[in-house]
Amino acid sequence: MNLVLVEHADGVATDVSLQALALAAGLGGETHALLIGPGGAGAAAGVPVVAAHVAEHDALEAFAPDAWAAILCSVADRIGATAIVAPGTPAATDAMARAAVRLGEPLAANCTVVTAGDPLTLTRVRWGGSLLEEAQLHAGRALLTVAPHAVAAVEPGAPGSVDAFTPELTEADLMVRVRDRVAPPAGGVSLSDAKVVVTGGRGVGSAEGFAVVEELAGLLGGAVGCSRAVTMSGWRPHTDQVGQTGNKIAPDIYIACGVSGATQHIAGAKGAKRILAVNTDAEAPIMLIADYAVVGDLHEVLPAISAELRRRQA
Amino acid sequence: MKVLVCVKRVPMTGGRIVLTEDEQAIETKHLGFAVSPHEECGVEEAVRLVEQHGGESVVLTLGVAEAEEQLRDAMAIGIDRGIHLVTDGEEWDPEATAGAIVEAIKADEAASGPFDVIFFGNESADSGGYQVGLRAAYALGRPCATGLKSVVFEGGSARCEQEVGGGRDVYELPLPAVLTVLEGLNLPRYPSVPGRMRAGRKPLEATTPARPGSRLERSRLVVPEGDAKQAEVLGRGPEAAAAVVDLLEQIGVAS
């Protein structure tokens, strides 16, 4: 029996949750789902499992990771789950790690493949996706999160039954909880949603050097990004950083200027449909993953592209 | 204020990951090493806290003998002393890592008083287990918030912010607490030459814990098949502009 934690937003299960259901299906046996918090009952209608359990409690209006862990453990115990699977998002991963400690079990984060057996075998992501690990999980109950966008999602469908319940939560379960939400700064195109991202790396040379990057991004209605080397030099804020420890982007085209292509950076740009590299070094690692390249100095190439765009837009 | 930051030594992988012949590790012969990025911000935060509030900052690592380099790096920017749990190079899984760290924390607290704050990275750059900080927090019976991009201490509690899709979620934790942080929390400083000199003389305590069996047991590592391709060169220098704009028009992003 598998239990899948299904996250939901705006009344529907999230894509990564439907991917978690697909991963769980690979383990065989019946699958139940757990949905927590307001909107759970509505979202459960589209979750194709034998039974969907919906935890409803006034205290669950705001995210409380220890409470989520407590609910996960109690439902897993009640239905006799031998595997618990969750989407590899920050909130679900946090709750799963807490559940793992409570159950005295290991947790395998960001799995891409699991195969039932004793021991259970799995493949999981390391280095933000630059490396995979094949491993055996020696556990009484297998706790797994699925790496986002590594597994094809199941199609939404109706559950066999929906069971809403009120979990028992202690004061300690609610000590760590979201007390407030601060709105994001207004304006600008966000890196994660941009159709065009123009990024500068160490090759830009200075904070002022980003003027040519900003100009091109502005003309294309895109967002400006940067590499870790740039952030660490203090040329751009960390909010602009693309990479394993920065933003993950998925634009139609990613224009990488003066970026060498370190694995740390590429881990954030894997979602790009096309990559155009502008680099003085035709042998730079970025050239091995780019679809298109311009060999040259970005300080000459970018102004020329901007000028050509202006000429054609006029 | 007494602050602990736990760090991990990881290789700087550069452009391409190459594995050792037995597929058990990354070939690091030609690589440098650094503190895993998120934890680098934890070190900076610990130094700033003690600069503001007074007290003591301590850095801890579980890792090979050479990881002393990373402890000295942390001391070079202002951490007061180090604790080194020395390993033989075998990888410790998250449960084992957290277990050894908790034992070391308990021993240190028994000798020199409790930590108000313990920082961990949200996840290590290499193994990415996302759990060592939480496991330690549970074992110590302290509240924990994860993935933090901002931490402010006021009157015995920590106001912590986490980036989420719709902005930032705010947590308030009573101290003592365990906080796992993300890069972007601050901009870590570079060590000065006098800082490096002082770091060599700061106290460093080393012990060699025994590694328990692993319940998440690695079979082998695999470099994912990239769609390695040869980029189509659109041109050299500014003369390439027309070809680039042709491409941008073709994929419909030029207007």
Side-chain angles (χ1 to χ4, degrees), chain A residues 9 89-91 181-185 190 192-193 247, chain B residues 162-169:
Chain A
T89 57
R181 162 92 34 114
V182 181
S190 99
S192 51
D193 299 334
N247 294 282
Chain B
Q162 196 179 53
E163 252 170 33
V164 291
R168 285 182 167 220
D169 276 350

Side-chain angles (χ1 to χ4, degrees), chain B residues 1 53 151-159 172-175:
Chain B
M1 202 162 192
H53 303 276
V151 181
V152 178
F153 296 89
E154 297 166 328
S157 71
R159 180 191 153 96
E172 274 164 36
L173 269 60
L175 301 184

Side-chain angles (χ1 to χ4, degrees), chain A residues 25-253:
Chain A
L27 291 170
E30 278 189 2
T31 296
H32 288 208
L34 169 63
L35 298 93
I36 299 175
V47 179
V49 289
V50 173
H53 306 269
V54 181
E56 294 174 336
H57 192 296
D58 290 345
L60 295 171
E61 292 274 339
F63 179 60
D66 288 310
W68 280 43
I71 296 166
L72 264 169
C73 294
S74 72
V75 175
D77 281 344
R78 177 149 54 86
I79 66 170
T82 50
I84 309 177
V85 183
T89 57
T93 302
D94 178 317
M96 283 291 280
R98 292 174 204 256
V101 193
R102 286 168 181 248
L103 296 170
E105 297 286 4
L107 165 69
N110 288 317
C111 299
T112 58
V113 180
V114 292
T115 309
D118 188 19
L120 181 147
T121 58
L122 58 89
T123 302
R124 59 178 293 270
V125 162
R126 294 169 75 110
W127 287 103
S130 306
L131 191 60
L132 298 173
E133 170 185 12
E134 293 174 1
Q136 298 185 332
L137 187 62
H138 305 275
R141 275 173 285 202
L143 276 76
L144 314 162
T145 71
V146 60
H149 312 299
V151 178
V154 301
E155 288 297 319
S161 65
V162 177
D163 139 52
F165 68 103
T166 304
E168 278 179 35
L169 297 173
T170 66
E171 212 171 292
D173 292 331
L174 296 167
M175 184 202 278
V176 178
R177 66 171 195 274
V178 174
R179 311 273 172 157
D180 195 11
R181 162 92 34 114
V182 181
V189 182
S190 99
L191 269 171
S192 51
D193 299 334
K195 290 206 176 308
V196 179
V197 174
V198 188
T199 280
R202 199 193 300 272
V204 176
S206 67
E208 299 70 39
F210 268 87
V212 295
V213 179
E214 284 172 347
E215 181 189 29
L216 179 58
L219 284 168
L220 295 171
V224 173
C226 70
S227 70
R228 182 163 188 261
V230 166
T231 313
M232 298 311 272
S233 300
W235 300 345
R236 303 286 300 185
H238 186 272
T239 45
D240 284 359
Q241 186 175 316
V242 172
Q244 186 181 342
T245 51
N247 294 282
K248 312 285 184 282
I249 58 170
D252 288 344
I253 185 160

Side-chain angles (χ1 to χ4, degrees), chain A residues 66 94 98 104-105 124 126 132 134 136 138 179-182 228 241 244-245 263 291 293 295 312-313, chain B residues 13-14 91 125 127-128 135 138 144 146 168-170 183 215 217 219-220 222 232 234 237 246 254:
Chain A
D66 288 310
D94 178 317
R98 292 174 204 256
E105 297 286 4
R124 59 178 293 270
R126 294 169 75 110
L132 298 173
E134 293 174 1
Q136 298 185 332
H138 305 275
R179 311 273 172 157
D180 195 11
R181 162 92 34 114
V182 181
R228 182 163 188 261
Q241 186 175 316
Q244 186 181 342
T245 51
T263 53
D291 303 277
V295 181
R312 294 200 200 176
Q313 284 172 359
Chain B
T13 52
E91 185 167 83
S127 50
R135 286 187 181 276
Y138 264 76
C144 180
T146 64
R168 285 182 167 220
D169 276 350
V170 181
E183 189 178 73
R215 295 211 285 170
E217 192 183 5
S219 310
R220 65 176 189 133
V222 182
E232 177 188 341
L234 298 178
D246 287 347

